[in-house]
Amino acid sequence: MRKERSARMAVTTGDRAPEFDLAVTQLERVRLSDFRGRSNVLLVFHPFAFTAVCEDEARDLQENLQSFRDANTEILFVSCDAPAARQAWKKELGAEYTFASDFWPHGAVSRAYGVFNEQTGAPHRGTFLIDDGGTVIWSLVSARDERRTDMVPESLDTLRATA
C-alpha cells in the first residue's frame, strides 16, 4: 500500500512546491508557474484579514519589502478571505506586495501545502520560501495565535547572493 502525504502534513524544506492558482482580484490571478525561472516566492498563509496579529505580520513584510526585492523574491500573502476583502485590507495597510485569496475552492491551496485548519476553515500560519525552480528552500508553520517574527529567513541571504 502506497503511503500518501497527509492533508495535515505541511510541505517542508526540499519538497517540490505544489502548484497554485490564486485569485488576486475578480479578474487577476497569480500562479506559482508565473515565477518559475523568474523569481523566488515567499508564500505566507495567515488565518484572517482585518485581525491584529495578521496585520502585524503584514506590516512586518512591508517593512522588509526591500530585503525581499534585493533577493529577487516576490511576497504572496494568502488567506481564505474573499478577493475583494483582501484588496480592501491591502489598500488600508498601504502594502505594496500581493495579497491573494484561497477563497474558492475554499482552502484548496492551503490544503495542498498542509496548513489548512479544518476546524476554523482558515489556514494556520505557514510560510514557504520557494526558489525560482519551484523547490521549497525554507519553511515555518506556526500555531494560529502565534505571531511569526522570523519571516526574513537566513535562506534569503543565500538568495540575495545569487540574485
Side-chain angles (χ1 to χ4, degrees):
M1 176 181 240
R2 197 173 122 203
K3 187 174 179 180
E4 298 285 332
R5 176 185 294 276
S6 165
R8 291 176 299 194
M9 186 168 25
V11 171
T12 61
T13 301
D15 288 348
R16 188 89 178 137
E19 183 57 52
F20 57 77
D21 183 353
L22 296 163
V24 175
T25 66
Q26 195 170 29
L27 300 174
E28 182 185 353
R29 302 198 66 83
V30 64
R31 295 164 190 85
L32 180 58
S33 60
D34 295 341
F35 303 100
R36 192 148 347 249
R38 250 183 5 109
S39 68
N40 311 300
V41 174
L42 185 74
L43 187 62
V44 181
F45 293 96
H46 68 95
F48 302 105
F50 298 100
T51 59
V53 174
C54 297
E55 180 176 329
D56 288 345
E57 291 180 339
R59 291 186 187 283
D60 285 348
L61 290 168
Q62 182 63 38
E63 288 172 13
N64 289 287
L65 185 58
Q66 192 58 52
S67 292
F68 289 100
R69 288 183 173 161
D70 290 348
N72 192 34
T73 302
E74 295 291 328
I75 300 170
L76 303 180
F77 199 50
V78 182
S79 78
C80 292
D81 298 296
R86 306 284 305 140
Q87 296 314 306
W89 192 42
K90 176 183 175 179
K91 183 177 180 181
E92 178 181 294
L93 295 173
E96 299 171 29
Y97 54 91
T98 303
F99 279 45
S101 172
D102 193 13
F103 183 71
W104 196 257
H106 188 77
V109 176
S110 50
R111 278 185 182 93
Y113 279 80
V115 296
F116 188 75
N117 182 332
E118 296 291 343
Q119 293 177 325
T120 63
H124 290 290
R125 297 182 191 284
T127 312
F128 303 91
L129 182 58
I130 304 165
D131 70 15
D132 65 358
T135 299
V136 176
I137 61 170
W138 183 86
S139 65
L140 172 70
V141 178
S142 302
R144 194 173 144 237
D145 295 334
E146 292 177 15
R147 180 173 180 243
R148 289 168 281 200
T149 56
D150 185 21
M151 285 195 288
V152 185
E154 290 179 17
S155 300
L156 205 57
D157 293 333
T158 303
L159 293 173
R160 196 175 296 113
T162 61

